[in-house]
Amino acid sequence: MIDTHAHLHFPQFDEDREEVIKECEEKLEAVITVGCDLEDSRKAISLAENSKNIFATVGIHPHEAKNYSEKDYDKLINLAKSPKVVAVGEAGLDFYRNLSPKEKQYEIFEMQVEAAKELKLPVIIHTRNAAKEMADFIRKHFEGVKGVVHCFSGEKELLEAALDTGLFISYSGIVTYPKNSSLRETLKYVPSSRLLIETDSPYLAPQPVRGKRNKPIFVAYTARAIAEFLGLKFSDIDRITSVNAKRLFNLPLSSEESKEKLVYQVGNRLYINLTTKCPCNCKFCFRGYEDFILGYKLKLSREPIAEEYMYRIKNPGVYEEIVFCGYGEPFERFEELKKVAEWIKKFSKETPVRVDTCGLGYLITGREDILDELKGIVDSFSISVNAGTPEEYRRIVKPKFGEKSWNSLLKFIKDVKEKGFNVQITAVRYPGFDEKSFKELSEKLGVPFKIREFKRFKKWEE
Ligand code: SF4
Protein backbone atom coordinates (compact mmCIF):
# COMPACT_ATOMS: atom_id res chain seq x y z
CA MET A 1 0.00 0.00 0.00
CA ILE A 2 1.26 3.50 -0.82
CA ASP A 3 0.42 6.73 0.99
CA THR A 4 0.68 9.20 -1.88
CA HIS A 5 0.46 12.33 0.24
CA ALA A 6 1.91 12.87 3.70
CA HIS A 7 4.05 15.51 5.39
CA LEU A 8 6.38 13.31 7.39
CA HIS A 9 8.96 16.09 7.61
CA PHE A 10 6.51 18.41 9.43
CA PRO A 11 7.20 19.33 13.08
CA GLN A 12 4.23 17.22 14.27
CA PHE A 13 6.53 14.20 13.72
CA ASP A 14 9.60 15.66 15.45
CA GLU A 15 9.14 13.60 18.56
CA ASP A 16 8.61 10.16 17.07
CA ARG A 17 9.60 10.46 13.41
CA GLU A 18 11.96 7.49 13.52
CA GLU A 19 9.29 5.28 14.98
CA VAL A 20 6.73 6.42 12.38
CA ILE A 21 9.21 5.85 9.56
CA LYS A 22 9.98 2.37 10.89
CA GLU A 23 6.25 1.57 10.82
CA CYS A 24 6.07 2.87 7.24
CA GLU A 25 9.02 0.72 6.21
CA GLU A 26 7.45 -2.35 7.74
CA LYS A 27 3.86 -1.90 6.63
CA LEU A 28 3.80 0.26 3.50
CA GLU A 29 5.43 -0.01 0.11
CA ALA A 30 6.09 3.71 -0.13
CA VAL A 31 5.19 7.12 1.29
CA ILE A 32 5.42 10.41 -0.55
CA THR A 33 6.28 13.30 1.74
CA VAL A 34 5.07 16.48 0.10
CA GLY A 35 6.84 19.83 0.16
CA CYS A 36 4.88 23.05 0.69
CA ASP A 37 7.58 25.64 -0.10
CA LEU A 38 11.18 25.43 -1.21
CA GLU A 39 12.66 25.28 2.30
CA ASP A 40 10.05 22.73 3.31
CA SER A 41 10.78 20.73 0.13
CA ARG A 42 14.48 20.61 1.11
CA LYS A 43 13.43 18.98 4.39
CA ALA A 44 11.22 16.52 2.52
CA ILE A 45 14.10 15.58 0.19
CA SER A 46 16.53 15.14 3.03
CA LEU A 47 14.09 12.80 4.79
CA ALA A 48 13.49 10.84 1.59
CA GLU A 49 17.19 10.53 0.84
CA ASN A 50 17.66 8.80 4.18
CA SER A 51 14.90 6.24 3.83
CA LYS A 52 14.43 3.58 1.19
CA ASN A 53 10.67 3.76 0.74
CA ILE A 54 10.06 7.47 1.32
CA PHE A 55 9.91 9.76 -1.69
CA ALA A 56 9.66 13.54 -1.82
CA THR A 57 8.13 16.32 -3.87
CA VAL A 58 9.16 19.90 -4.52
CA GLY A 59 6.42 22.45 -4.47
CA ILE A 60 5.00 25.76 -3.36
CA HIS A 61 1.60 25.60 -1.69
CA PRO A 62 -0.80 28.39 -2.73
CA HIS A 63 -0.63 29.77 0.84
CA GLU A 64 3.08 30.35 0.30
CA ALA A 65 2.76 31.74 -3.23
CA LYS A 66 3.09 35.33 -1.96
CA ASN A 67 6.70 34.62 -0.95
CA TYR A 68 7.79 33.47 -4.41
CA SER A 69 8.13 34.74 -7.94
CA GLU A 70 9.16 33.43 -11.34
CA LYS A 71 12.75 34.11 -10.28
CA ASP A 72 12.50 30.98 -8.12
CA TYR A 73 11.89 28.72 -11.13
CA ASP A 74 15.52 27.58 -11.40
CA LYS A 75 15.73 26.89 -7.66
CA LEU A 76 12.71 24.65 -7.94
CA ILE A 77 14.14 22.83 -10.95
CA ASN A 78 17.48 22.28 -9.22
CA LEU A 79 15.87 20.97 -6.04
CA ALA A 80 13.77 18.55 -8.06
CA LYS A 81 16.87 16.92 -9.48
CA SER A 82 17.25 14.64 -6.46
CA PRO A 83 16.48 11.08 -7.58
CA LYS A 84 14.04 10.79 -4.67
CA VAL A 85 11.82 13.58 -6.03
CA VAL A 86 8.79 12.09 -7.76
CA ALA A 87 6.50 15.08 -8.31
CA VAL A 88 6.05 18.84 -8.33
CA GLY A 89 3.64 20.20 -5.73
CA GLU A 90 1.59 20.58 -3.78
CA ALA A 91 0.67 23.42 -6.04
CA GLY A 92 -2.68 24.95 -6.78
CA LEU A 93 -5.37 27.36 -5.72
CA ASP A 94 -6.75 27.91 -2.22
CA PHE A 95 -9.48 30.51 -2.03
CA TYR A 96 -10.66 29.36 1.40
CA ARG A 97 -8.16 31.20 3.50
CA ASN A 98 -6.72 33.37 0.72
CA LEU A 99 -3.34 33.56 2.42
CA SER A 100 -1.84 34.68 -0.89
CA PRO A 101 -3.47 37.04 -3.39
CA LYS A 102 -5.33 35.16 -6.13
CA GLU A 103 -3.16 36.50 -8.96
CA LYS A 104 -0.06 35.35 -7.11
CA GLN A 105 -1.55 31.90 -6.61
CA TYR A 106 -2.19 31.60 -10.34
CA GLU A 107 1.29 32.86 -11.23
CA ILE A 108 3.08 30.37 -8.95
CA PHE A 109 0.79 27.50 -9.95
CA GLU A 110 1.47 28.12 -13.64
CA MET A 111 5.17 28.32 -12.93
CA GLN A 112 5.07 24.91 -11.26
CA VAL A 113 3.14 23.33 -14.12
CA GLU A 114 5.86 24.62 -16.46
CA ALA A 115 8.52 23.16 -14.17
CA ALA A 116 6.71 19.81 -14.12
CA LYS A 117 6.69 19.80 -17.94
CA GLU A 118 10.41 20.48 -18.06
CA LEU A 119 11.14 17.87 -15.39
CA LYS A 120 8.65 15.37 -16.86
CA LEU A 121 7.16 14.91 -13.41
CA PRO A 122 3.51 14.78 -12.36
CA VAL A 123 1.91 17.64 -10.42
CA ILE A 124 0.22 17.19 -7.04
CA ILE A 125 -2.71 19.57 -7.13
CA HIS A 126 -4.12 21.27 -4.05
CA THR A 127 -7.46 23.01 -4.36
CA ARG A 128 -9.86 24.45 -1.83
CA ASN A 129 -12.94 26.60 -2.46
CA ALA A 130 -11.78 26.93 -6.04
CA ALA A 131 -13.37 23.98 -7.83
CA LYS A 132 -14.60 25.92 -10.85
CA GLU A 133 -11.41 27.93 -11.19
CA MET A 134 -9.36 24.76 -10.84
CA ALA A 135 -11.47 22.92 -13.42
CA ASP A 136 -10.88 25.81 -15.87
CA PHE A 137 -7.18 25.87 -15.06
CA ILE A 138 -6.81 22.12 -15.57
CA ARG A 139 -8.57 22.23 -18.93
CA LYS A 140 -6.33 25.06 -20.05
CA HIS A 141 -2.93 24.02 -18.69
CA PHE A 142 -2.86 20.27 -18.12
CA GLU A 143 -2.96 18.92 -21.65
CA GLY A 144 -0.08 16.44 -21.73
CA VAL A 145 0.81 16.99 -18.05
CA LYS A 146 0.31 14.16 -15.57
CA GLY A 147 -0.94 14.75 -12.06
CA VAL A 148 -3.32 14.07 -9.24
CA VAL A 149 -6.04 16.06 -7.51
CA HIS A 150 -5.01 15.48 -3.92
CA CYS A 151 -7.54 15.16 -1.09
CA PHE A 152 -10.44 15.29 -3.53
CA SER A 153 -13.50 16.66 -1.79
CA GLY A 154 -16.26 15.75 -4.22
CA GLU A 155 -16.87 18.60 -6.68
CA LYS A 156 -18.38 17.18 -9.88
CA GLU A 157 -17.08 19.88 -12.20
CA LEU A 158 -13.53 19.40 -10.95
CA LEU A 159 -13.79 15.62 -11.22
CA GLU A 160 -14.90 15.85 -14.84
CA ALA A 161 -12.12 18.25 -15.81
CA ALA A 162 -9.51 16.11 -14.06
CA LEU A 163 -10.64 12.82 -15.60
CA ASP A 164 -11.06 14.39 -19.04
CA THR A 165 -7.45 15.50 -18.87
CA GLY A 166 -6.09 12.16 -17.68
CA LEU A 167 -5.42 13.16 -14.07
CA PHE A 168 -5.66 10.84 -11.07
CA ILE A 169 -8.00 11.39 -8.12
CA SER A 170 -6.75 10.87 -4.59
CA TYR A 171 -9.04 10.24 -1.63
CA SER A 172 -7.94 11.04 1.92
CA GLY A 173 -9.44 10.06 5.28
CA ILE A 174 -12.33 12.48 4.79
CA VAL A 175 -13.98 9.84 2.56
CA THR A 176 -14.43 7.72 5.71
CA TYR A 177 -16.40 10.36 7.64
CA PRO A 178 -20.02 9.26 8.14
CA LYS A 179 -21.51 12.53 6.88
CA ASN A 180 -19.44 12.50 3.69
CA SER A 181 -21.76 10.26 1.68
CA SER A 182 -21.75 12.59 -1.33
CA LEU A 183 -17.96 12.32 -1.53
CA ARG A 184 -18.20 8.51 -1.31
CA GLU A 185 -20.75 8.58 -4.15
CA THR A 186 -18.10 10.12 -6.44
CA LEU A 187 -16.06 6.91 -6.16
CA LYS A 188 -18.52 5.34 -8.61
CA TYR A 189 -17.39 7.73 -11.33
CA VAL A 190 -13.64 7.33 -10.96
CA PRO A 191 -12.07 4.72 -13.27
CA SER A 192 -10.12 2.13 -11.27
CA SER A 193 -7.02 3.10 -13.20
CA ARG A 194 -7.15 6.67 -11.86
CA LEU A 195 -7.79 6.03 -8.16
CA LEU A 196 -5.26 6.90 -5.44
CA ILE A 197 -5.32 7.07 -1.64
CA GLU A 198 -3.46 9.27 0.82
CA THR A 199 -3.42 10.38 4.43
CA ASP A 200 -2.39 14.07 4.19
CA SER A 201 -0.86 13.28 7.57
CA PRO A 202 -0.44 14.76 10.13
CA TYR A 203 -3.92 16.10 9.24
CA LEU A 204 -7.29 14.50 8.43
CA ALA A 205 -7.07 11.19 10.28
CA PRO A 206 -9.71 8.74 8.99
CA GLN A 207 -12.34 6.92 11.00
CA PRO A 208 -11.85 5.28 13.50
CA VAL A 209 -8.77 7.32 14.51
CA ARG A 210 -10.33 10.65 13.59
CA GLY A 211 -9.15 13.49 15.83
CA LYS A 212 -5.75 11.88 16.44
CA ARG A 213 -2.58 12.96 14.71
CA ASN A 214 -2.68 11.19 11.39
CA LYS A 215 0.19 9.01 10.14
CA PRO A 216 0.87 7.13 6.90
CA ILE A 217 -0.10 3.65 8.08
CA PHE A 218 -3.63 4.95 8.73
CA VAL A 219 -4.09 5.03 4.93
CA ALA A 220 -5.29 1.44 5.39
CA TYR A 221 -8.50 2.73 7.05
CA THR A 222 -9.25 4.79 3.97
CA ALA A 223 -8.58 1.79 1.75
CA ARG A 224 -10.93 -0.30 3.85
CA ALA A 225 -13.75 2.26 3.65
CA ILE A 226 -13.37 2.58 -0.14
CA ALA A 227 -13.36 -1.20 -0.55
CA GLU A 228 -16.55 -1.50 1.50
CA PHE A 229 -18.28 1.23 -0.47
CA LEU A 230 -17.33 -0.23 -3.86
CA GLY A 231 -18.08 -3.81 -2.83
CA LEU A 232 -14.49 -4.86 -3.36
CA LYS A 233 -11.96 -6.54 -1.11
CA PHE A 234 -9.37 -4.60 0.87
CA SER A 235 -6.69 -6.39 -1.18
CA ASP A 236 -8.30 -5.11 -4.41
CA ILE A 237 -8.03 -1.48 -3.29
CA ASP A 238 -4.50 -2.11 -2.05
CA ARG A 239 -3.48 -3.53 -5.45
CA ILE A 240 -5.34 -0.93 -7.53
CA THR A 241 -4.03 2.12 -5.67
CA SER A 242 -0.47 0.82 -5.30
CA VAL A 243 -0.14 0.04 -9.00
CA ASN A 244 -1.67 3.42 -9.87
CA ALA A 245 0.71 5.28 -7.56
CA LYS A 246 3.69 3.54 -9.16
CA ARG A 247 2.43 4.35 -12.66
CA LEU A 248 1.86 8.01 -11.84
CA PHE A 249 5.03 8.65 -9.83
CA ASN A 250 7.29 6.45 -11.99
CA LEU A 251 8.11 4.04 -9.20
CA PRO A 252 9.08 0.56 -10.39
CA LEU A 253 6.31 -2.00 -10.78
CA SER A 254 7.07 -5.46 -9.42
CA SER A 255 7.65 -8.17 -12.02
CA GLU A 256 4.22 -9.61 -11.18
CA GLU A 257 2.55 -6.19 -11.62
CA SER A 258 4.21 -5.65 -15.00
CA LYS A 259 3.01 -8.98 -16.40
CA GLU A 260 0.11 -9.06 -18.83
CA LYS A 261 -2.72 -10.82 -17.03
CA LEU A 262 -4.45 -13.71 -18.76
CA VAL A 263 -6.61 -14.32 -15.69
CA TYR A 264 -7.22 -11.94 -12.80
CA GLN A 265 -9.12 -12.05 -9.56
CA VAL A 266 -11.41 -9.32 -8.26
CA GLY A 267 -13.23 -10.07 -5.04
CA ASN A 268 -14.05 -13.79 -5.15
CA ARG A 269 -14.50 -13.88 -8.91
CA LEU A 270 -11.94 -14.92 -11.48
CA TYR A 271 -11.92 -13.13 -14.81
CA ILE A 272 -10.51 -14.51 -18.05
CA ASN A 273 -8.89 -12.10 -20.45
CA LEU A 274 -8.92 -13.81 -23.86
CA THR A 275 -8.09 -11.01 -26.27
CA THR A 276 -7.72 -7.30 -26.90
CA LYS A 277 -9.83 -7.49 -30.08
CA CYS A 278 -13.38 -6.17 -30.20
CA PRO A 279 -15.67 -5.42 -33.14
CA CYS A 280 -17.09 -2.35 -31.36
CA ASN A 281 -15.76 1.11 -30.74
CA CYS A 282 -17.90 2.31 -27.84
CA LYS A 283 -17.50 6.01 -27.22
CA PHE A 284 -16.86 5.40 -23.53
CA CYS A 285 -14.44 2.49 -23.90
CA PHE A 286 -11.12 2.55 -22.03
CA ARG A 287 -9.26 0.64 -24.76
CA GLY A 288 -6.51 2.73 -26.26
CA TYR A 289 -6.34 4.89 -23.14
CA GLU A 290 -5.61 2.50 -20.31
CA ASP A 291 -3.50 -0.65 -20.25
CA PHE A 292 -4.20 -1.21 -16.56
CA ILE A 293 -7.68 -1.91 -15.27
CA LEU A 294 -8.42 -2.78 -11.63
CA GLY A 295 -4.70 -2.83 -10.90
CA TYR A 296 -3.95 -5.44 -13.58
CA LYS A 297 -2.21 -5.04 -16.91
CA LEU A 298 -4.96 -6.30 -19.19
CA LYS A 299 -3.75 -5.11 -22.56
CA LEU A 300 -2.30 -8.23 -24.18
CA SER A 301 0.50 -8.20 -26.72
CA ARG A 302 -0.42 -11.68 -28.02
CA GLU A 303 -3.27 -14.18 -28.20
CA PRO A 304 -2.52 -16.95 -25.67
CA ILE A 305 -3.62 -20.54 -26.26
CA ALA A 306 -6.36 -22.20 -24.16
CA GLU A 307 -3.89 -24.34 -22.17
CA GLU A 308 -2.18 -21.20 -20.85
CA TYR A 309 -5.50 -20.15 -19.28
CA MET A 310 -6.09 -23.60 -17.78
CA TYR A 311 -2.62 -23.54 -16.26
CA ARG A 312 -3.29 -20.18 -14.62
CA ILE A 313 -6.81 -20.93 -13.41
CA LYS A 314 -5.46 -23.97 -11.57
CA ASN A 315 -8.48 -24.75 -9.36
CA PRO A 316 -11.78 -23.43 -10.77
CA GLY A 317 -13.67 -24.70 -7.73
CA VAL A 318 -12.41 -21.99 -5.40
CA TYR A 319 -14.18 -19.10 -7.14
CA GLU A 320 -17.66 -17.70 -6.61
CA GLU A 321 -17.90 -17.31 -10.38
CA ILE A 322 -15.63 -17.40 -13.42
CA VAL A 323 -16.24 -14.69 -15.97
CA PHE A 324 -14.95 -14.35 -19.52
CA CYS A 325 -14.33 -10.63 -19.48
CA GLY A 326 -11.15 -8.80 -20.25
CA TYR A 327 -9.69 -6.14 -22.47
CA GLY A 328 -11.65 -7.26 -25.52
CA GLU A 329 -14.57 -9.38 -26.72
CA PRO A 330 -14.50 -13.11 -25.76
CA PHE A 331 -16.33 -14.26 -28.92
CA GLU A 332 -13.35 -13.02 -30.93
CA ARG A 333 -11.74 -16.24 -29.66
CA PHE A 334 -14.70 -18.59 -29.71
CA GLU A 335 -12.64 -21.81 -29.90
CA GLU A 336 -10.51 -20.86 -26.87
CA LEU A 337 -13.63 -19.68 -25.01
CA LYS A 338 -15.23 -23.07 -25.56
CA LYS A 339 -12.13 -25.07 -24.63
CA VAL A 340 -11.51 -23.15 -21.41
CA ALA A 341 -15.19 -23.17 -20.35
CA GLU A 342 -15.35 -26.92 -21.02
CA TRP A 343 -12.23 -27.47 -18.92
CA ILE A 344 -13.66 -25.37 -16.05
CA LYS A 345 -16.88 -27.42 -15.98
CA LYS A 346 -14.97 -30.66 -16.20
CA PHE A 347 -13.16 -29.85 -12.98
CA SER A 348 -15.90 -27.95 -11.18
CA LYS A 349 -19.45 -28.40 -12.43
CA GLU A 350 -20.83 -26.13 -9.70
CA THR A 351 -18.70 -23.07 -10.48
CA PRO A 352 -20.92 -20.66 -12.43
CA VAL A 353 -19.45 -19.51 -15.75
CA ARG A 354 -20.50 -16.22 -17.30
CA VAL A 355 -19.60 -14.55 -20.56
CA ASP A 356 -19.58 -10.75 -20.72
CA THR A 357 -20.07 -9.94 -24.38
CA CYS A 358 -21.01 -7.25 -26.85
CA GLY A 359 -23.58 -9.71 -28.24
CA LEU A 360 -22.19 -9.77 -31.77
CA GLY A 361 -20.99 -13.37 -31.57
CA TYR A 362 -22.99 -14.38 -34.67
CA LEU A 363 -21.32 -11.76 -36.83
CA ILE A 364 -17.87 -12.31 -35.36
CA THR A 365 -17.92 -16.07 -35.97
CA GLY A 366 -20.12 -15.96 -39.07
CA ARG A 367 -22.33 -18.66 -37.51
CA GLU A 368 -25.69 -18.67 -35.74
CA ASP A 369 -25.39 -22.07 -34.06
CA ILE A 370 -22.64 -21.16 -31.61
CA LEU A 371 -24.88 -21.01 -28.53
CA ASP A 372 -25.62 -24.74 -28.81
CA GLU A 373 -21.91 -25.39 -28.37
CA LEU A 374 -21.89 -23.43 -25.12
CA LYS A 375 -24.73 -25.35 -23.50
CA GLY A 376 -23.66 -26.99 -20.27
CA ILE A 377 -20.35 -25.10 -20.17
CA VAL A 378 -21.63 -21.52 -19.87
CA ASP A 379 -24.39 -20.56 -17.44
CA SER A 380 -25.05 -16.91 -18.12
CA PHE A 381 -24.46 -13.98 -20.40
CA SER A 382 -24.14 -10.32 -19.62
CA ILE A 383 -24.66 -8.49 -22.90
CA SER A 384 -23.65 -4.85 -23.27
CA VAL A 385 -26.23 -3.09 -25.41
CA ASN A 386 -25.85 0.54 -24.29
CA ALA A 387 -28.81 1.84 -26.28
CA GLY A 388 -32.54 1.43 -26.72
CA THR A 389 -32.69 2.14 -30.44
CA PRO A 390 -30.61 1.11 -33.48
CA GLU A 391 -29.72 4.74 -34.22
CA GLU A 392 -28.39 5.32 -30.72
CA TYR A 393 -26.60 1.98 -30.82
CA ARG A 394 -24.74 2.86 -34.01
CA ARG A 395 -23.83 6.30 -32.67
CA ILE A 396 -22.50 5.07 -29.31
CA VAL A 397 -21.25 1.53 -29.92
CA LYS A 398 -20.07 2.03 -33.50
CA PRO A 399 -19.79 -1.69 -34.41
CA LYS A 400 -17.60 -2.53 -37.36
CA PHE A 401 -20.38 -4.65 -38.90
CA GLY A 402 -22.52 -1.55 -39.44
CA GLU A 403 -26.28 -1.65 -40.08
CA LYS A 404 -26.78 -5.39 -39.61
CA SER A 405 -25.32 -5.32 -36.07
CA TRP A 406 -28.49 -4.25 -34.23
CA ASN A 407 -30.68 -7.05 -35.58
CA SER A 408 -27.98 -9.63 -35.02
CA LEU A 409 -27.56 -8.39 -31.44
CA LEU A 410 -31.30 -8.64 -30.75
CA LYS A 411 -31.45 -12.13 -32.25
CA PHE A 412 -28.51 -13.18 -30.09
CA ILE A 413 -30.23 -11.91 -26.92
CA LYS A 414 -33.49 -13.68 -27.82
CA ASP A 415 -31.66 -16.93 -28.60
CA VAL A 416 -29.68 -16.80 -25.37
CA LYS A 417 -32.94 -16.45 -23.47
CA GLU A 418 -34.75 -19.13 -25.43
CA LYS A 419 -31.96 -21.62 -25.04
CA GLY A 420 -32.25 -21.33 -21.27
CA PHE A 421 -29.12 -19.39 -20.35
CA ASN A 422 -29.39 -16.68 -17.70
CA VAL A 423 -29.11 -13.31 -19.35
CA GLN A 424 -29.00 -9.62 -18.56
CA ILE A 425 -28.43 -6.65 -20.80
CA THR A 426 -26.29 -3.76 -19.64
CA ALA A 427 -25.70 -0.12 -20.42
CA VAL A 428 -23.40 2.64 -19.30
CA ARG A 429 -25.02 5.90 -18.21
CA TYR A 430 -22.99 8.06 -20.62
CA PRO A 431 -23.91 11.73 -21.19
CA GLY A 432 -27.25 11.83 -23.04
CA PHE A 433 -28.02 8.14 -22.38
CA ASP A 434 -31.72 7.49 -23.07
CA GLU A 435 -32.58 5.37 -20.05
CA LYS A 436 -36.25 5.19 -20.93
CA SER A 437 -35.78 3.57 -24.31
CA PHE A 438 -33.18 1.16 -22.92
CA LYS A 439 -35.60 0.04 -20.20
CA GLU A 440 -38.34 -0.35 -22.80
CA LEU A 441 -36.04 -2.57 -24.85
CA SER A 442 -35.30 -4.69 -21.81
CA GLU A 443 -39.04 -5.07 -21.19
CA LYS A 444 -39.72 -5.90 -24.82
CA LEU A 445 -37.02 -8.57 -24.82
CA GLY A 446 -38.16 -9.84 -21.43
CA VAL A 447 -34.65 -9.78 -19.96
CA PRO A 448 -33.42 -7.91 -16.88
CA PHE A 449 -31.07 -4.95 -17.21
CA LYS A 450 -28.24 -3.32 -15.33
CA ILE A 451 -27.01 0.24 -15.73
CA ARG A 452 -23.44 1.14 -14.75
CA GLU A 453 -22.18 4.63 -13.99
CA PHE A 454 -20.14 6.37 -16.67
CA LYS A 455 -16.44 6.58 -15.90
CA ARG A 456 -14.54 9.12 -17.93
CA PHE A 457 -11.19 8.25 -19.46
CA LYS A 458 -11.06 11.19 -21.82
CA LYS A 459 -13.13 14.16 -22.90
CA TRP A 460 -16.63 13.16 -24.03
CA GLU A 461 -17.06 14.39 -27.62
CA GLU A 462 -20.58 14.60 -29.00
S1 SF4 B 1 -17.87 -3.66 -26.31
FE1 SF4 B 1 -16.62 -3.35 -24.47
S2 SF4 B 1 -14.50 -3.70 -25.12
FE2 SF4 B 1 -15.73 -3.44 -26.98
S3 SF4 B 1 -15.54 -1.26 -27.48
FE3 SF4 B 1 -17.40 -1.50 -26.24
S4 SF4 B 1 -16.75 -1.14 -24.12
FE4 SF4 B 1 -14.88 -1.50 -25.35
Side-chain angles (χ1 to χ4, degrees), residues 226-244:
I226 293 176
E228 270 170 22
F229 181 79
L230 293 177
L232 295 172
K233 282 187 167 179
F234 177 81
S235 57
D236 291 324
I237 295 299
D238 181 8
R239 180 192 62 252
I240 291 167
T241 56
S242 300
V243 164
N244 289 348

Side-chain angles (χ1 to χ4, degrees), residues 77-347:
I77 295 279
N78 284 332
L79 263 183
K81 286 187 176 152
S82 158
K84 292 303 288 284
V85 170
V86 294
V88 171
E90 52 187 297
L93 304 172
D94 192 318
F95 300 158
Y96 179 65
R97 291 169 72 195
N98 277 318
L99 295 185
S100 291
K102 283 187 180 175
E103 310 74 58
K104 199 70 193 167
Q105 293 192 35
Y106 275 110
E107 177 196 327
I108 298 303
F109 189 19
E110 271 184 47
M111 177 180 95
Q112 293 181 84
V113 175
E114 280 312 306
K117 278 188 202 162
E118 182 175 339
L119 293 159
K120 299 194 172 50
L121 288 176
V123 181
I124 295 183
I125 300 168
H126 167 100
T127 180
R128 192 155 181 210
N129 270 35
K132 178 173 181 331
E133 293 86 345
M134 183 55 81
D136 292 345
F137 188 97
I138 285 173
R139 290 198 193 279
K140 190 164 167 209
H141 295 279
F142 270 80
E143 210 54 58
V145 183
K146 294 211 281 179
V148 51
V149 175
H150 120 79
C151 194
F152 178 59
S153 49
E155 303 89 343
K156 190 168 173 274
E157 194 176 8
L158 175 59
L159 182 67
E160 286 187 5
L163 293 177
D164 279 359
T165 324
L167 300 180
F168 288 65
I169 308 295
S170 180
Y171 287 83
S172 70
I174 61 173
V175 77
T176 68
Y177 299 169
K179 285 192 179 154
N180 249 345
S181 53
S182 60
L183 174 59
R184 278 188 290 282
E185 278 298 308
T186 64
L187 284 162
K188 292 183 193 161
Y189 304 95
V190 178
S192 65
S193 52
R194 303 277 181 83
L195 176 69
L196 292 178
I197 47 174
E198 64 172 75
T199 56
D200 205 10
S201 51
Y203 314 114
L204 304 177
Q207 301 283 20
V209 286
R210 190 174 177 181
K212 289 191 182 171
R213 181 200 60 178
N214 202 359
K215 55 183 179 175
I217 60 163
F218 290 163
V219 74
Y221 291 120
T222 300
R224 186 177 69 185
I226 293 176
E228 270 170 22
F229 181 79
L230 293 177
L232 295 172
K233 282 187 167 179
F234 177 81
S235 57
D236 291 324
I237 295 299
D238 181 8
R239 180 192 62 252
I240 291 167
T241 56
S242 300
V243 164
N244 289 348
K246 292 175 191 178
R247 290 167 51 228
L248 176 63
F249 296 109
N250 286 316
L251 304 175
L253 291 165
S254 71
S255 64
E256 198 47 46
E257 288 164 342
S258 339
K259 274 188 202 148
E260 295 175 3
K261 289 283 175 285
L262 277 53
V263 304
Y264 59 102
Q265 189 176 349
V266 183
N268 295 322
R269 291 192 167 81
L270 188 76
Y271 292 83
I272 300 182
N273 182 25
L274 284 181
T275 180
T276 59
K277 286 193 269 174
C278 181
C280 303
N281 282 293
C282 299
K283 281 184 71 168
F284 48 77
C285 185
F286 54 80
R287 290 171 341 125
Y289 296 91
E290 308 280 346
D291 296 355
F292 282 82
I293 306 292
L294 293 158
Y296 293 115
K297 190 173 187 179
L298 294 191
K299 188 171 179 185
L300 301 174
S301 55
R302 65 195 181 91
E303 306 255 271
I305 58 170
E307 287 71 15
E308 291 180 79
Y309 291 95
M310 298 167 192
Y311 173 75
R312 283 170 178 78
I313 298 168
K314 291 197 165 60
N315 181 1
V318 299
Y319 302 104
E320 183 185 315
E321 188 176 30
I322 297 185
V323 187
F324 287 85
C325 170
Y327 205 80
E329 163 56 43
F331 275 97
E332 287 281 357
R333 306 201 67 213
F334 181 58
E335 290 307 318
E336 287 75 13
L337 164 64
K338 249 183 352 185
K339 266 195 198 172
V340 178
E342 211 163 34
W343 179 86
I344 292 168
K345 287 293 184 187
K346 188 170 149 205
F347 285 96

